[in-house]
Amino acid sequence: MQFMLLFSRQGKLRLQKWYVPLSDKEKKKITRELVQTVLARKPKMCSFLEWRDLKIVYKRYASLYFCCAIEDQDNELITLEIIHRYVELLDKYFGSVCELDIIFNFEKAYFILDEFLLGGEAQETSKKNVLKAIEQADLLQEVSTEVYYHHCKATAIGVHHRVFGLSL
Amino acid sequence: MSDVVEKTLTALPALFDSQTGAAKITNRLRQLIKSITELTSKHEEENLIKQELSAMKEQVSSPNTTMKQMREIMVRAMYCEMLGYDASFTYIHAIKLAQQGGVLEKREEENLIKQELSAMKEQVSSPNTTMKQMREIMVRAMYCEMLGYDASFTYIHAIKLAQQGGVLEKRVGTFTPHFHSSPYITSITHAQEIIRRKAVLALYKFYLIAPNQVQHIHAKFRKALCDKDPGVMTSSLHIYLQLIRESPDSYKDLTGSFVTILKQVVGGKLPLDFNYHSVPAPWLQIQLLRILSLLGKEDQSTSELMYEVLDESLRRAEMNHNITYAILYECVKAVYTIHPKAELLEKAARCIGNFVLSPKINLKYLGLKALTYVVQHDAKLALQHQMTIIECLDHSDFTIKRETLELLFRITNAQNVTVIVEKMLDFLRSCNDEHTIIHLVGKVAELAEKFAPDNSWFIQTMNDVFSIGGDLLQQDVPNNFLRLLAEGSESKEEDDQLRLYAVDSYLTVLKGHTSHLPQCFLQVMSWVLGEYAHLQESVDQREVIRLLTQLLDQRSVSSETRVWILSALTKISEGQTDLILDLAESLSSSQDTVLRQQAQELRHLSQESQLHEWALPRGAPWDGIEVDSSLSFLDGFVSEALAAGAAPYKPPHQRQEELCEDRALNLEPYGFSLPVSLSSCSITDRQSPTLLSVSSGLSGNSTELSQKAGCLILEGVKRVWGKDGYLPQKKRSTPPVDEPSAAVQPPGQQEAAERIEPRPDPLTQNQDKQQLASSLFVGLGVGSAMSLLGKSEAPPPRFRKKPHPHESSSSSSSGTSERSSDSSSRSSRNTTNSFLYGSLLEKEPATSISAFDHTPKSTTANGLAQNKDTKEDRRANTSQILGGDMVIVRPSTIQDKHPPSVSSDLTALLPADLKDLPHSDVISLTSDPSLSLSSCRLFRDEALLLVIFISNCTETVIKDVAVQLTCEELKTVSLRGNVVDCLEARSTSVCHYALLMDDPHTNVSFTGTVSYQTQPGHTNTLPFSGTLSTADFIRPLVVTTEEYGKLWLSLSHDVKQNLKLLTDAGDPLRTTLNSLKDALQLHVVDIIGSEGIVACRLLSGAPCLLHCRVNGTALAMWLRSPHPALPDCILYHCQRALAHH
């Protein structure tokens, strides 16, 4: 897979993940062009689209379009299932996911995507395992934020304040 | 993941009493921290750190620094790094330290690192961290990792970053020399499967970006394939798919394993975790099916292995869900790719039917795609689905339509070509996507050339192609068309008819509106009119000239097209002096210099008819034109100019390179003293003009163009390059294309009308469809099997006309064929590579290649020595998880038998062809009561031969002696005699490894084992190890002083160091260099005064040049090499050699 885009029916980009190195300008151009093309398609049309030398696989869930770009020799149906599994994962994590969830918790959406897809290939297809990993990451984040404050107070070397101050 | 959390939690308490951490920080560091905290401005801090860093740099490179000091430096370096300064030079030393072990117990370091790690952990999980920060964190994490700490929590982020590209390349670049220590590789053996999985996928990306960099870890890939976690195995399949795509032959031995795995998966043996909507591991299945189809392609015996499992997959995938269809689709493709089996084909065909007839549009699309793939093998399949195809042709969805046309393209033959081409042109007229147009127009042109029924249709279709495709067309479409017209067939009469028809049709087009015509079409027309207008006697030449001149006046015509038009006018100007002179007059004041020049030529030629006759002979045979592509007629001029002191011509890329070097040039001692030799200049001179004129030949212009000055030629070339620059712009300015010909009715409108119409009569409509079907699928039926066979097996000539050998290659215009040729060239390069190694290094190519084919490990591209452990591992592991029977491929044995010799001089045992090579002393490696091993190094030009003598010390026969040698840093290119079935009493067997060193290491150690049986069923193993130094891999590089000078300038990495000078003799420099030469196999190029130049190379690879100058009592050594690490290594060995002296 070369990239994945999520955008709303109004054409607002909600999530993007690129698995090929492209310049920001190029990314913007592609996004604009694709959003236009996909939104112009009618609901009954097929989910595949030949675009440039790539194949676009897209699917609409409620108000969101999930759109993946794959190479010519890739399997379109399995890509459709990748999208579906991702939606299932989001749904399970957020509990009947809606567009707002993704807008406000975009980093979670990214985390889930990263647990599921790696370098554009499905690496973990089990729903259970992905969600377990995310929960652990959540836990880790909570603990480390707590620790972080303690640490700031306790540390005696002034320099540490400076170092960590940068990351605040 | 859970144990990461645990570890962190246990490490945390240590952070709270950071007093301990602070108390134990070393003095120097405390000083540093103190002085930093006392500073007031950022600027001061920067200066201080800079000083600190440079002091550290000095210390680390000095040989006197003790371990303890080094450790201390590392801590300080880390501190600087934490403050955000670049202390990357210490990484390598850190690794060295880490490898020596023991260091890590130091508590202060541990504390620091733990702090560092926890800080990183916070940063990475904070959403505010920017990309740049993240990158920096990764470097730090990698560093901690190198010190042996568990920073595995960063892998995920590292990989995330890596996916986003950019960084990855950088990482590969930075860490190439230390790639072994890269966390990814170590983490392949990590305890947690999720980490292993990620590591494998990261390696896959590495492989995609820089395949050469991961060559040495192909063995690790195998390990991943045999991992006990199916997830890791799945990830490794990505790599294998890629590897097999490039060279399927090298992995045939794995077919059995893949089949077994697939069987297990289909049989539902995997844990339920891998199910997706109750289908077992669909991703894995699809991956495997793809691999199998690649392996079984055109290989009957391999295909036979997989028939059963394919059948099973087809049978199992019954459920009505997208995912099963996805698997079915791959299955069908596999069935049609591998060696055919009738029964399977039948089933697959039924599956395709299910797809095509499905009401779901996505499945229908896939069905069409499968059909497109399948009709190449069996065109009759399309017949069964003709009505569906017709329906799809009128489908409202663009994607479906396009796929259908793709299908039709595959089943085109001479009988249905007109209908199909018409359909395609209809589609094109309503299409406005650039890529689709380029793609399809190329196909139409291809079909027209292949199957055109008659001249008028052909010209008409090509007119459509040019006017629709316009300037988006790939350059070779017009080129091929013009070549076809020009070269013609055997029958002159027919050719002339075609040309005549073209002239007629173009005149008609030109008489109409011309402002909307694409430039490309105008160029084609002007060329044809210029060459062949005289054939049409009924038309006045003045009329033609008038039409062409009219074009010149149009604003929309580009200057390039003007050049085409003018050269056409030049050709037909004969006898029309009055018209031409006017024209030349008006153009001679043009802004465009090229046009002005042409106008001049035009004037001269029209005035001198004799010259015109000579320069532009009418109706001359096309192949009579000779182009001197090397521009040899200019040689005299060039050498005269050079003699007069002109600078030699340099092609642009060389100029660029030299520009980069210019900065370093000021320091060069050789820069000015070396005269550039004339002969080499004229060689470089030639390169670029050749390229230019070759492409000018392609542009198919007249003799005059190729004879006259290069600017015209450049004009033709520029077009190709300038394409993306301004063509899109032009496209926008072009108004919607009108149909230029009246002969073809506008079916686009008609079709639209049909769609809008309510269609009251379904019967007639059906009849229409039937009719269309019969016209589309004519020639596919059983009755006309002839044409069918002709298409699928022996492709008919690409051109309707006499085919020229080079045409077929150049006419592949479609994107897909380009891509495939691309990949095939890549794979062929790959095979050449391995072949090169095989034949070049082994003196007995036949045997060595057979060894390559049969030994499983040697078949991986890098040809590492077979490691039996891994293989057994693999066998055990796979069968453990999958419980299946793996096909075990035993390495075929090649032996060197030698008559038992009593001589104690083992070197006498060397094979005859190796005896003459220079060799080292024989050293004993290891021994036990029954076997003794000794080794000897033989220095061959392109490789180091490590010869191992295996001597039987007992009075009994020893059986099944097998030597395994592993060395991470070296590449084994060939091995012989490592397996001996039977070693007679008191005899010695010889086995030798040809080793290559790609990346220099100062010393490399190899380890190995010998296994043997003294009694049947009782295997003993005897481990051994040894070291090799870079010196073993260095060969003299024989160059002249001039060559040395030139080479010196082209090398980028340099190192300078003062060495000890041997002062005990009369001529210290000469003595020193000679002793170095003896110790290291260097070549002393020249010694002038107090300077000496020496050259060597790493086997037949990277050269290293040494420049030595006597500097008081020291020898200032300056080394240069294209390889970053090579100078360091050589310097090290020089130091040692001199110290030993």
Side-chain angles (χ1 to χ4, degrees), chain A residues 76 114 118 124 148 162, chain B residues 45 122 160 163 197 369:
Chain A
E76 291 89 350
D114 288 340
L118 189 61
E124 176 60 78
Y148 167 71
R162 291 184 43 198
Chain B
E45 182 191 295
E122 271 159 38
K160 249 192 246 169
Q163 290 160 1
R197 207 179 287 181
K369 211 177 139 190

Side-chain angles (χ1 to χ4, degrees), chain B residues 596-887:
Chain B
R596 228 156 48 213
Q597 185 199 345
Q598 274 211 315
Q600 284 297 338
E601 286 164 8
L602 184 59
R603 190 184 4 226
H604 284 293
L605 285 173
S606 61
Q607 279 166 344
E608 289 177 54
S609 61
Q610 240 181 341
L611 183 62
H612 189 275
E613 193 70 26
W614 181 79
L616 299 165
R618 178 163 287 177
W622 183 249
D623 37 349
I625 298 163
E626 273 175 32
V627 179
D628 184 357
S629 58
S630 63
L631 300 185
S632 60
F633 56 89
L634 285 175
D635 279 356
F637 176 77
V638 170
S639 54
E640 247 171 61
L642 282 175
Y649 174 78
K650 284 177 193 138
H653 61 91
Q654 198 182 337
R655 259 173 276 166
Q656 204 74 40
E657 272 169 28
E658 275 170 29
L659 211 68
C660 298
E661 275 162 22
D662 262 356
R663 263 169 259 131
L665 200 68
N666 304 335
L667 307 166
E668 302 313 324
Y670 297 101
F672 50 90
S673 61
L674 290 166
V676 188
S677 70
L678 196 78
S679 62
S680 72
C681 293
S682 48
I683 288 167
T684 47
D685 272 350
R686 289 278 180 82
Q687 288 172 348
S688 150
T690 313
L691 284 177
L692 282 181
S693 18
V694 165
S695 43
S696 83
L698 272 176
S699 75
N701 238 316
S702 69
T703 13
E704 178 222 30
L705 276 185
S706 40
Q707 269 184 359
K708 289 272 156 58
C711 46
L712 288 190
I713 292 161
L714 271 173
E715 196 65 28
V717 176
K718 206 193 280 170
R719 203 196 126 65
V720 184
W721 293 108
K723 203 165 184 174
D724 44 359
Y726 58 85
L727 282 190
Q729 230 180 349
K730 222 185 275 170
K731 204 236 158 189
R732 242 173 277 130
S733 67
T734 325
V737 183
D738 282 354
E739 177 50 47
S741 68
V744 178
Q745 51 173 333
Q749 288 171 19
Q750 182 203 5
E751 197 186 274
E754 256 178 26
R755 223 180 294 139
I756 297 158
E757 252 180 294
R759 300 190 184 187
D761 190 357
L763 197 71
T764 45
Q765 187 194 331
N766 239 344
Q767 270 173 352
D768 282 351
K769 281 191 176 173
Q770 293 281 7
Q771 218 166 2
L772 180 59
S774 62
S775 54
L776 273 180
F777 297 97
V778 63
L780 286 180
V782 196
S784 51
M786 287 293 284
S787 68
L788 174 105
L789 281 178
K791 186 173 159 46
S792 57
E793 270 156 36
R798 284 195 161 266
F799 287 73
R800 209 164 37 102
K801 304 286 168 183
K802 176 180 74 176
H804 283 254
H806 53 276
E807 279 167 358
S808 52
S809 64
S810 61
S811 62
S812 60
S813 57
S814 66
T816 38
S817 62
E818 256 181 26
R819 207 173 311 134
S820 70
S821 72
D822 203 0
S823 68
S824 74
S825 75
R826 204 186 328 143
S827 68
S828 76
R829 176 161 33 94
N830 234 331
T831 42
T832 343
N833 259 345
S834 60
F835 187 72
L836 269 181
Y837 278 130
S839 57
L840 209 102
L841 293 173
E842 192 52 59
K843 294 232 165 120
E844 307 86 351
T847 41
S848 82
I849 284 171
S850 78
F852 262 70
D853 285 344
H854 293 109
T855 331
K857 185 68 105 348
S858 338
T859 49
T860 62
N862 62 346
L864 266 172
Q866 165 67 32
N867 183 340
K868 203 166 191 177
D869 292 346
T870 339
K871 206 186 86 195
E872 272 170 3
D873 227 340
R874 175 184 108 208
R875 217 186 304 150
N877 275 338
T878 335
S879 48
Q880 183 193 327
I881 32 155
L882 301 167
D885 44 348
M886 297 276 285
V887 178

Side-chain angles (χ1 to χ4, degrees), chain B residues 349-350 353 357 378-389:
Chain B
R350 252 201 319 261
L357 296 174
D378 182 6
K380 268 179 266 170
L381 262 176
L383 276 179
Q384 298 171 10
H385 302 295
Q386 38 179 307
M387 285 321 281
T388 326
I389 295 173

Side-chain angles (χ1 to χ4, degrees), chain B residues 923-939:
Chain B
I923 356 167
S924 168
L925 282 176
T926 181
S927 63
D928 70 357
S930 33
L931 270 189
S932 80
L933 253 70
S934 32
S935 74
C936 166
R937 287 159 289 150
L938 268 69
F939 307 109

Side-chain angles (χ1 to χ4, degrees), chain B residues 1019-1084:
Chain B
T1019 309
N1020 297 321
T1021 48
L1022 179 61
F1024 63 88
S1025 64
T1027 51
L1028 296 169
S1029 84
T1030 315
D1032 295 329
F1033 293 89
I1034 287 174
R1035 303 285 178 269
L1037 175 66
V1038 184
V1039 286
T1040 63
T1041 312
E1042 279 88 39
E1043 285 164 345
Y1044 183 95
K1046 242 180 271 169
L1047 195 56
W1048 179 265
L1049 293 181
S1050 67
L1051 301 181
S1052 47
H1053 297 274
D1054 60 357
V1055 170
K1056 289 183 209 172
Q1057 181 98 20
N1058 281 343
L1059 297 183
K1060 193 174 103 185
L1061 193 62
L1062 301 175
T1063 45
D1064 45 347
D1067 187 348
L1069 179 65
R1070 204 169 281 275
T1071 327
T1072 317
L1073 290 187
N1074 280 340
S1075 71
L1076 283 179
K1077 180 183 151 195
D1078 294 341
L1080 278 166
Q1081 300 208 49
L1082 306 175
H1083 171 70
V1084 180

Side-chain angles (χ1 to χ4, degrees), chain B residues 850-851 854-855 890-895 960-961 977-981:
Chain B
S850 78
H854 293 109
T855 331
R890 278 189 55 86
S892 75
T893 59
I894 309 153
Q895 5 173 337
D960 287 335
V961 183
N978 67 324
V979 179
V980 182
D981 279 346

Side-chain angles (χ1 to χ4, degrees), chain B residues 65-126:
Chain B
T65 316
T66 63
M67 274 280 269
K68 206 175 154 203
Q69 282 171 321
M70 196 62 114
R71 236 176 286 154
E72 200 255 7
I73 292 169
M74 289 304 121
V75 179
R76 272 189 288 147
M78 193 146 65
Y79 181 72
C80 297
E81 188 88 359
M82 274 166 74
L83 289 178
Y85 294 90
D86 177 36
S88 48
F89 65 93
T90 54
Y91 292 168
I92 174 79
H93 300 282
I95 300 169
K96 269 189 220 158
L97 267 185
Q99 280 168 348
Q100 281 154 358
V103 207
L104 307 171
E105 280 87 55
K106 280 281 166 193
R107 210 186 137 80
E108 58 260 40
E109 267 192 32
E110 221 170 88
N111 268 337
L112 261 180
I113 288 181
K114 272 178 195 157
Q115 282 170 9
E116 167 100 1
L117 283 177
S118 65
M120 277 195 284
K121 225 172 259 188
E122 271 159 38
Q123 276 180 308
V124 290
S125 50
S126 135

